[in-house]
């Protein structure tokens, strides 16, 4: 049987425990988010096939544990990934502060040309917000990385975030990406993509 995709991408989600990495993946792949939270143990992945430009892309999306005791295990997957979605919780100043630590870990362990996108999750929270949109943009600008706020609960900008990261990787691989210009954007919006969902939600 011939494969039904043109490109295989390995995407890694990083960030502190509880920021909503599993919820983002469940929303994107299965369009489902459960209210109860169970911390991810170790690492797991889901599959989703999407269209990026004229390419059929199979995304292997890796969900990682944010607890420090799993960090050695998680870093083993850095070099296998072509893109990283770095997630913090807008209601947790600590998780936002730790973005710098995660970026340093990526710098140390990932390949030089890996694509990164900073994402502030739980943008639907009107009460308890500790990190402003402006602060998120400033941090992303400092590292010359794209930035987006999302909500797994309300399904706001979730597909756009994953699609933007996939687009950056695909364009880089095809040699059509003006890398420096793209990475300096504070937000990225892609046209809606057709998709084929695979797997069930285990979040």
């Amino acid at each position: 049987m011939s494969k039904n995709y043109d490109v295989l991408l390995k995407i890694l989600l990083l960030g502190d425990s509880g920021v909503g990495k599993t919820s983002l993946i469940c929303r994107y792949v299965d369009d489902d988010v459960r209210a109860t939270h169970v911390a991810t143990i170790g690492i797991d992945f889901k599959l989703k096939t999407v269209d990026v430009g004229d390419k059929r892309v199979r995304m292997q999306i890796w969900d990682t544990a944010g607890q420090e005791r799993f960090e050695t295990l998680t870093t083993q997957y850095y070099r296998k990934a072509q893109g990283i979605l770095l997630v913090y919780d807008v209601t947790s100043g600590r998780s936002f502060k730790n973005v710098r630590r995660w970026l340093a870990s990526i710098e140390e362990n990932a390949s030089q040309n890996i694509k990164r996108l900073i994402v502030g999750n739980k943008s639907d929270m009107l009460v308890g917000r500790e990190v402003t949109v402006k602060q998120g943009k400033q941090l992303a600008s400092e590292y010359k990385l794209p930035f987006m706020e999302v909500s797994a609960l309300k399904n706001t900008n979730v597909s756009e975030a994953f699609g933007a990261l996939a687009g950056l990787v695909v364009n880089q691989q095809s040699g059509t990406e003006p890398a420096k210009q793209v990475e300096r954007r504070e937000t990225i919006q892609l046209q809606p993509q057709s998709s084929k969902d695979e797997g069930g939600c285990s979040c």
Side-chain angles (χ1 to χ4, degrees):
M1 293 178 61
S2 61
K3 62 182 182 181
N4 62 346
Y5 58 91
D6 304 307
V7 181
L8 176 65
L9 298 185
K10 294 181 181 179
I11 303 296
L12 193 66
L13 268 72
L14 294 179
D16 285 6
S17 179
V19 297
K21 299 185 296 296
T22 301
S23 293
L24 284 170
I25 295 174
C26 284
R27 172 63 77 184
Y28 183 55
V29 176
D30 306 309
D31 195 22
D32 179 38
V33 173
R34 297 177 185 175
T36 56
H37 170 73
V38 178
T40 301
I41 299 176
I43 193 161
D44 193 12
F45 76 91
K46 286 180 174 290
L47 296 172
K48 187 177 179 78
T49 304
V50 299
D51 292 326
V52 178
D54 61 351
K55 301 288 186 183
R56 191 70 170 158
V57 176
R58 171 71 59 87
M59 298 175 68
Q60 202 177 74
I61 306 171
W62 292 85
D63 185 12
T64 64
Q67 301 97 322
E68 287 187 9
R69 67 180 184 273
F70 293 115
E71 195 163 329
T72 301
L73 172 65
T74 300
T75 54
Q76 296 176 18
Y77 288 83
Y78 282 33
R79 290 195 178 276
K80 298 179 181 180
Q82 289 117 339
I84 290 178
L85 208 66
L86 181 49
V87 186
Y88 68 89
D89 175 356
V90 301
T91 68
S92 168
R94 178 181 176 83
S95 72
F96 178 70
K97 182 179 179 181
N98 284 339
V99 168
R100 294 183 184 276
R101 180 175 65 85
W102 286 108
L103 285 168
S105 183
I106 294 169
E107 184 73 23
E108 181 180 352
N109 295 286
S111 62
Q112 240 182 352
N113 60 350
I114 196 166
K115 291 300 176 185
R116 297 159 292 170
L117 174 65
I118 297 177
V119 167
N121 189 30
K122 307 183 185 180
S123 63
D124 58 283
M125 297 293 290
L126 302 178
V127 178
R129 178 186 276 266
E130 295 182 0
V131 185
T132 66
V133 177
K134 182 179 180 180
Q135 287 174 309
K137 287 182 177 181
Q138 286 176 337
L139 178 64
S141 178
E142 179 182 338
Y143 286 89
K144 296 182 174 61
L145 296 175
F147 164 79
M148 193 178 294
E149 280 202 347
V150 304
S151 168
L153 182 64
K154 298 294 185 181
N155 197 16
T156 305
N157 283 339
V158 176
S159 293
E160 288 82 356
F162 281 98
L165 184 59
L168 288 173
V169 177
V170 170
N171 289 338
Q172 180 188 56
Q173 291 180 346
S174 63
T176 61
E177 179 204 22
K180 292 183 179 179
Q181 292 180 11
V182 171
E183 289 189 347
R184 286 192 179 116
R185 295 177 189 168
E186 291 179 341
T187 59
I188 294 179
Q189 297 291 338
L190 293 186
Q191 294 299 317
Q193 302 168 345
S194 63
S195 64
K196 178 182 178 182
D197 293 353
E198 304 173 28
C201 182
S202 58
C203 62

